[in-house]
Amino acid sequence: MRRITRAGLRGVGLLASAGALCALAVVPAGAAEPGTTWQPEPAGDGGTGVVVDDGTARFDRTTAFGAPADEGATESSADPVDVVPTGFLPLEPHTLDAPTRAVESALVADTPPGSTATVDVRGRKDGGGWTEWVPVADDRAELPQTVREVQGRLVLTSTGDAEPVVREVTLTATPATEAESEAEPLTEAAPRSYSVFATREGLEGGTTANGHTIAPRDRFVALPSRRALSAKGKTDYSVKVCAPNGRCAIAPVWDIGPWNTKDDYWNPSPEREMWKDLPQGLPQAAAAYNDGHNGGKDQFGRKPANPAGIDLGDGLFWDVLGLKDNSQVQVDYLWTGSQRLSAVSTEEAPEVQILARPEAGAESVGIAVNATDVPVQCTHGEFVRIDEGQYLPTSAFDELPADVPGCDADPAATAPGDTTTTPDGTATSPGGATTTPGGAANAPGEAGTAPGGSTEPSDAADPGDAAGPGDAAGPGGAAAGPGDARAAAPGGDTPAADAGGAAAGSPPSAGDPAGTTAGRGPTPTGTPPTGTAADGDGPAAPSAGTSGDTAAGAAPGGGSLPDGDSQAATIPGSAQRAPSGTR
């Protein structure tokens, strides 16, 4: 049966006659609701799960992304299914003569029972980056700010044998009001940043939500919302992830997960697609795992095996950040700020090293993946500062903004992430002093104050503890400074057991197979570094050349590495770690 899918164009009328199929009628511009109307073409080859043939977009089950069934998301009359394959097809951007904040859409589509065809839209911001993708709902999509360039994205889903087909897409941009059109001066604002639990993606050889084939030691991340999903090969949405050892990585968002698919937890609560009752910065999986939110289940009715809010590609997890197990990390959602952004360009190299000081030969404190947009704060000779204690050579950029200022003075090589914020509002100031929401501060090394007001011994892992020089910073605190204990290179230590006695890499529960992303079936995972436990294996033995006397979690030189158990103890309400590679 052929259906006309109405996705928000108020001027759509259905014309029907005996023996004829329904057709689409668009009210001309200048009628009751004037606006700019256009019919976009597919944008290159950036789609997945959708093929285009003679101007018609057809669902392609062989390349579709599998996500757990979402109640009410399909018109299925068949038995419930566990997976809804989903396809994405970016459409060509369109430049407008007048700014807009509201975009409406209409589709001529065949959507048999068990399938859907919808549209996401986004707009290009004044600073050059894109807003997040906003699903069209309730007749229109409201963008977070006025824009003059709009892009659409087809979203097709299917269960069973249903295969939706889209024959025509019409978008209409409603002119912004005079008040909305008044441009406010662009001010520099840092991106949103939250401390969340990270797990390893695994899934080597599998396919991400944007169609990317996962390579060994890959460098990308997954977030549990399609609102910040970059197209295949693109880096429109990138994050900076910093581990407790102070190492950081800037990488693109190429997958959806873990656990949920509509949890844009970094947005203000009223703007979240789901879970508007949760505070900004708190992933729903963490709330379900720790506090029994939604009956202790994710949006698909599963009980999360960990509180993860981000997945890391194996190369980021093992090689760049030096993690040996799931861990709390600090994440900057780079597209949410209004800082100057410039794209890294490394020609044939996959990444560029982030340096601790603006000088050749300075130690590396992380990497930026090629083509990602990074913040540009100021220039220091032949180097660009992207954050405190983080520099890239100017040769790593094809182009820099003309108005980038010079750095005021030679900055000290401080560690990145001097001030971090957790969803409960606790902030860590430079030097390791912890500032509570009430304003009280603990100097480095002093005993912290437990949430209930009691003072714990200084050696206890408590939310109020601060990491002094030489200590491994807790996941919610400041990143480790140059003198702090660094994470051992992957392959030395044996992961410690979690609260349930299972070692890192031990098999997950039967309800959530290792290496599944938001319900996608298991695919082969990458080979871990020597001495670590692979997904599904038991604890790994120490690698050759390591001392049997070195306890798991010990850092070179006798320092203490933060493992999952101690990290969980330093974050209020955080969970004990779960096996690597699980969702």
Side-chain angles (χ1 to χ4, degrees):
M1 174 180 177
R2 185 178 183 188
R3 295 169 181 256
I4 302 298
T5 300
R6 185 176 183 275
L9 184 60
R10 292 178 178 172
V12 171
L14 301 183
L15 304 179
S17 60
L21 296 175
C22 295
L24 178 70
V26 179
V27 171
E33 197 168 298
T36 301
T37 298
W38 72 100
Q39 294 180 331
E41 296 294 328
D45 58 352
T48 179
V50 181
V51 295
V52 179
D53 182 19
D54 292 333
T56 298
R58 301 178 182 275
F59 182 75
D60 180 15
R61 191 175 305 277
T62 62
T63 61
F65 161 69
D70 186 2
E71 292 183 1
T74 69
E75 304 174 66
S76 177
S77 59
D79 294 334
V81 293
D82 294 330
V83 171
V84 176
T86 303
F88 301 99
L89 180 65
L91 305 174
E92 283 290 345
H94 183 79
T95 301
L96 304 170
D97 293 330
T100 185
R101 283 198 66 175
V103 179
E104 302 174 342
S105 70
L107 306 179
V108 176
D110 298 339
T111 54
S115 68
T116 65
T118 58
V119 174
D120 296 341
V121 296
R122 65 177 181 175
R124 191 177 292 280
K125 299 183 289 187
D126 290 340
W130 291 97
T131 69
E132 291 180 3
W133 291 105
V134 180
V136 171
D138 296 331
D139 291 348
R140 61 198 285 143
E142 294 282 352
L143 295 172
Q145 64 186 74
T146 56
V147 299
R148 286 182 175 271
E149 185 177 356
V150 171
Q151 184 176 23
R153 176 175 69 180
L154 272 180
V155 182
L156 305 183
T157 71
S158 174
T159 61
D161 296 329
E163 293 189 356
V165 175
V166 177
R167 306 182 185 282
E168 187 175 275
V169 181
T170 302
L171 299 180
T172 298
T174 303
T177 64
E178 184 176 350
E180 291 173 335
S181 300
E182 291 179 354
E184 297 182 359
L186 184 64
T187 58
E188 293 279 321
R192 295 165 187 164
S193 181
Y194 295 102
S195 174
V196 298
F197 196 75
T199 48
R200 181 172 63 84
E201 173 97 359
L203 303 171
E204 179 184 328
T207 304
T208 66
N210 73 352
H212 169 73
T213 300
I214 301 176
R217 306 303 242 258
D218 220 335
R219 285 152 158 76
F220 68 92
V221 307
L223 292 176
S225 170
R226 76 179 194 230
R227 288 186 169 187
L229 179 67
S230 299
K232 183 179 180 181
K234 303 295 184 181
T235 57
D236 297 336
Y237 305 101
S238 299
V239 298
K240 182 170 76 172
V241 184
C242 293
N245 59 22
R247 291 192 58 79
C248 298
I250 298 175
V253 183
W254 282 352
D255 206 359
I256 301 175
W259 300 112
N260 292 299
T261 62
K262 294 184 178 181
D263 186 21
D264 49 327
Y265 59 81
W266 51 88
N267 284 327
S269 299
E271 299 176 14
R272 289 174 76 149
E273 189 172 5
M274 289 186 70
W275 321 118
K276 299 179 186 294
D277 58 318
L278 293 177
Q280 183 179 7
L282 178 62
Q284 191 276 334
Y289 187 91
N290 296 322
D291 303 319
H293 180 268
N294 192 40
K297 299 177 180 180
D298 67 5
Q299 78 184 73
F300 305 109
R302 303 173 299 175
K303 289 189 175 182
N306 56 51
I310 189 171
D311 272 335
L312 308 177
D314 291 0
L316 295 180
F317 190 97
W318 284 325
D319 304 329
V320 179
L321 300 180
L323 296 174
K324 299 177 68 62
D325 197 6
N326 298 335
S327 172
Q328 205 81 12
V329 296
Q330 191 72 24
V331 182
D332 293 354
Y333 308 84
L334 296 178
W335 66 92
T336 64
S338 58
Q339 293 176 309
R340 299 174 182 84
L341 297 176
S342 290
V344 170
S345 179
T346 60
E347 296 182 354
E348 299 301 322
E351 62 201 34
V352 61
Q353 297 294 318
I354 300 173
L355 304 178
R357 297 182 305 280
E359 59 186 52
E363 63 268 28
S364 170
V365 293
I367 63 101
V369 172
N370 187 33
T372 52
D373 288 335
V374 301
V376 176
Q377 294 184 346
C378 59
T379 58
H380 189 284
E382 297 300 315
F383 294 86
V384 174
R385 190 176 77 191
I386 63 173
D387 205 341
E388 293 297 326
Q390 296 182 350
Y391 296 85
L392 292 175
T394 54
S395 59
F397 302 89
D398 280 341
E399 185 177 2
L400 288 171
D403 59 346
V404 177
C407 300
D408 292 337
D410 291 348
T414 56
D418 285 334
T419 301
T420 58
T421 305
T422 57
D424 67 347
T426 302
T428 304
S429 59
T434 301
T435 303
T436 64
N442 296 319
E446 290 183 354
T449 302
S454 61
T455 301
E456 299 293 329
S458 60
D459 59 349
D462 180 83
D465 289 345
D471 297 332
D484 298 340
R486 297 289 183 182
D493 302 323
T494 303
D498 65 8
S506 60
S509 62
D512 188 59
T516 60
T517 299
R520 185 162 61 244
T523 55
T525 59
T527 303
T530 305
T532 64
D535 293 347
D537 297 333
S543 59
T546 59
S547 172
D549 296 332
T550 302
S560 175
L561 269 179
D563 59 65
D565 297 329
S566 64
Q567 289 169 352
T570 61
I571 293 297
S574 183
Q576 302 301 311
R577 61 190 177 153
S580 296
T582 62
R583 302 280 178 141

